[in-house]
Amino acid sequence: MSEVISVDRIRCDGHGLCAELLPELIDLDDWGYPLLRSGQVPHHLRDHAKRAVAACPVQALRLQTGVQAAGPSRRA
Amino acid sequence: MLQRKPGLLDGPPFAAGAESPAAHQGRLGLLPARRDRLGLVATLEASGLQGRGGAGFPVGRKWRTVAERARGNAVVLANGAEGEPLSAKDRTLMAARPHLVLDGALLAADAVGADRIVLYVGEEHHTAVAALERALGERRREFGRRARLVRAPVGYVSGEETAAVHYVNEADARPTSTPPRPFQRGVDGRATLVQNVESLALTALIARFGDDWYRTAGRGSAAGSALVTVSGPVPYPGVREIELGTPVGEVAAAAGHLREPLEAVLLGGYFGAWAPIEEAWHAALDPAAMRAAGLAFGCGVVGFLPGEVCGVAATARILRYMAAASSGQCGPCVFGLAAVAEATTRLATGAALPDDLDRLNRWCGQLAGRGACRHPDGAGGLLQSALRVFGAEFAAHQWHRRCKHGHLLRKAA
Ligand SMILES: Cc1cc2nc3c(=O)[nH]c(=O)nc-3n(C[C@H](O)[C@H](O)[C@H](O)COP(=O)(O)O)c2cc1C
Ligand code: SF4
Ligand code: SF4
């Protein structure tokens, strides 16, 4: 099962470390906040992703296995 | 406008104030018996009813999700915050037909197994607050202590579902990170059904008249009816009820539109999208068709832009409002919305920096999915539509510091 990386946008304060450790998946915007190129983490980047999650100083990154939670999709 | 009776706004004129419980029941009859209310979930699924708070999620499916939770009693949160500046349909409905909203909340509570109902109403909607408080008093026997009214603080974001739950729980109307979503863990930690007040009122009609009645109320492939708020240079702006599938031009005609030149129309509100008037005129107000066309029915806003008003300036004004409305928690929302609002304002006032238009084109695609809630998604979608619909004007403002009316814009001091 594939893994998905996501950012808690309220926690994240734009340290930008994650983009340094996982440039394959994460860019920074003009203000230093992460832009996820794709939430899906390919197998060969798993360890890098884990390192990025561990390195985030405010624990804003999360790595989850598999499918989205059931129920209503994200709504406006 | 063709409208199958009875609609949400049938009955006594709005000017007569809130409908009494006797008149309401005399006109529409009793609600289905309590033991029959569990079956309402399937009826709603068959009706095709979609939420009217903005995102159009299927109502029946949401009720089922909450009803099938693992344990505990649920909570129903009727969302009447209505922070959208161009919308007035929720406050109109709550003020004129409070018993229909209460009917819907009660049916929802019985259908999903909720022992508490929160009526979350924008504190600035005074008439609606008073009407619902009075209506609750008139039906104390039915509601007992199950229901209470909570005044939502003024603000565009206060009506977002996690913000509503947060406010009820902790008096803080800022959105929270998800998961958990309210249907998983909401008011007092319990599964919470957050449903717009118009959505709830419609369930009270569908419960009485059936899913078939609702489905056949639409035009063409569209199912059902909806409230819309019409604004702009038309003689009779305001709230009206339409069959879904009604073309925009017909809504303009019903609002008394004669021949004032119109330029564009904002569909769906500040969270929606601009459409050029000639493109929109024959387009059906049908959520599915609109979605396919990159538009949104949203909360039913139909806002006409007069010919003499500059689309760049109108967009700048909305973006400034959206930036100011941010709850200030997520970097991409705080900095991104401020940046697009400022750049659009510079363009509109003839003070554009050399790369403002380029940056807007880049930034508008970087807002969706970048916040804890979808506030930035709304601003990004609006900007994207503006760059398409008013593309020539944006370019003229960038390169010639001129608007299409030929006015030379003065550089703002
Ligand atoms: C910024 C923002 C503001 C919102 N404001 C409202 C509101 O004032 N009223 C409302 O019913 N829904 C509002 N919503 C949508 C709610 O989050 C939620 O989807 C809705 O109340 C669910 O009801 P419905 O499915 O019946 O539409 C807002 C969403 C966002 C992102
Ligand atoms: S390392 Fe953490 S705080 Fe820094 S940008 Fe990445 S997610 Fe945000
Ligand atoms: S996205 Fe914006 S409005 Fe939504 S929670 Fe974050 S800062 Fe607040």
Side-chain angles (χ1 to χ4, degrees):
Chain A
M1 184 132 318
S2 73
E3 286 185 302
V4 177
I5 194 162
S6 61
V7 186
D8 181 328
R9 300 289 177 180
I10 293 179
R11 281 189 170 212
C12 165
D13 49 16
H15 291 284
L17 263 179
C18 53
E20 263 169 55
L21 295 174
L22 195 58
E24 297 88 344
L25 298 182
I26 301 180
D27 272 332
L28 296 180
D29 68 13
D30 292 8
W31 301 276
Y33 291 90
L35 277 162
L36 300 187
R37 224 163 294 158
S38 152
Q40 298 286 335
V41 180
H43 196 72
H44 70 278
L45 291 176
R46 251 192 97 204
D47 289 342
H48 291 252
K50 278 190 170 161
R51 229 168 7 152
V53 169
C56 172
V58 292
Q59 284 93 47
L61 286 172
R62 196 166 22 193
L63 199 57
Q64 278 170 306
T65 321
V67 285
Q68 298 280 304
S73 64
R74 271 196 80 166
R75 286 181 315 270
Chain B
M1 211 169 304
L2 245 171
Q3 172 62 50
R4 280 183 161 242
K5 308 280 169 182
L8 288 174
L9 297 180
D10 295 339
F14 299 169
E19 191 176 24
S20 72
H24 167 72
Q25 212 182 76
R27 190 165 63 79
L28 294 171
L30 292 169
L31 286 174
R34 253 186 121 158
R35 63 176 178 282
D36 296 333
R37 292 181 191 172
L38 287 172
L40 190 52
V41 174
T43 308
L44 289 177
E45 284 173 332
S47 75
L49 174 64
Q50 297 180 347
R52 291 293 151 70
F57 188 82
V59 173
R61 203 190 313 160
K62 203 196 278 188
W63 287 29
R64 184 172 297 284
T65 307
V66 176
E68 291 176 353
R69 70 192 172 279
R71 62 184 167 278
N73 285 323
V75 177
V76 170
L77 191 153
N79 195 348
E82 196 170 50
E84 162 67 45
L86 290 178
S87 180
K89 54 104 179 166
D90 289 338
R91 73 199 71 170
T92 301
L93 178 70
M94 293 183 283
R97 302 291 177 264
H99 287 287
L100 204 52
V101 174
L102 291 188
D103 281 356
L106 196 59
L107 290 171
D110 285 339
V112 306
D115 61 355
R116 286 181 49 197
I117 295 169
V118 178
L119 305 168
Y120 184 72
V121 186
E123 64 177 358
E124 69 276 36
H125 311 325
H126 304 289
T127 319
V129 169
L132 279 173
E133 272 182 338
R134 179 162 165 202
L136 268 180
E138 288 164 340
R139 290 169 74 172
R140 190 147 296 141
R141 243 169 17 123
E142 245 174 308
F143 279 85
R145 293 172 174 278
R146 268 166 114 182
R148 71 185 166 117
L149 190 142
V150 173
R151 290 172 175 75
V154 176
Y156 194 80
V157 175
S158 307
E160 193 274 334
E161 59 175 16
T162 64
V165 165
H166 197 195
Y167 187 73
V168 172
N169 283 342
E170 293 175 43
D172 181 350
R174 292 179 300 170
T176 54
S177 292
T178 54
R181 297 267 312 276
F183 74 89
Q184 299 162 316
R185 182 140 53 85
V187 172
D188 285 345
R190 299 202 259 152
T192 300
L193 177 76
V194 179
Q195 201 84 68
N196 172 261
V197 288
E198 183 193 349
S199 313
L200 288 172
L202 282 165
T203 68
L205 292 182
I206 295 169
R208 289 180 168 96
F209 305 110
D211 53 285
D212 227 33
W213 162 83
Y214 182 75
R215 260 198 324 274
T216 52
R219 295 219 203 148
S221 57
S225 56
L227 299 180
V228 295
T229 313
V230 183
S231 57
V234 290
Y236 309 108
V239 177
R240 48 193 71 235
E241 191 163 17
I242 62 160
E243 287 196 301
L244 286 172
T246 301
V248 170
E250 216 178 297
V251 172
H257 172 66
L258 302 170
R259 251 188 293 291
E260 301 89 341
L262 299 173
E263 162 90 10
V265 58
L266 179 63
L267 298 172
Y270 284 15
F271 210 86
W274 293 105
I277 199 71
E278 61 276 11
E279 202 176 286
W281 203 253
H282 300 286
L285 290 166
D286 165 3
M290 291 172 80
R291 209 168 294 140
L295 297 172
F297 180 75
C299 58
V301 161
V302 181
F304 293 105
L305 184 73
E308 76 273 14
V309 174
C310 168
V312 180
T315 303
R317 196 172 331 111
I318 297 174
L319 290 174
R320 285 197 299 273
Y321 178 95
M322 296 285 269
S326 164
S327 77
Q329 304 184 94
C330 315
C333 179
V334 172
F335 296 106
L337 264 53
V340 295
E342 282 160 17
T344 309
T345 301
R346 281 194 299 270
L347 282 160
T349 53
L353 301 175
D355 53 353
D356 270 341
L357 188 51
D358 287 343
R359 287 194 292 178
L360 280 180
N361 274 307
R362 183 158 54 83
W363 286 336
C364 81
Q366 294 183 350
L367 292 170
R370 303 283 313 290
C373 82
R374 291 172 60 87
H375 187 59
D377 305 52
L382 180 94
L383 176 58
Q384 208 139 24
S385 75
L387 290 167
R388 176 180 80 91
V389 173
F390 308 121
E393 283 159 70
F394 269 91
H397 281 78
Q398 175 74 74
W399 303 116
H400 309 301
R401 299 209 165 150
R402 244 173 224 291
C403 74
K404 68 168 175 175
H405 306 291
H407 303 311
L408 196 59
L409 294 161
R410 227 156 40 91
K411 192 171 167 123

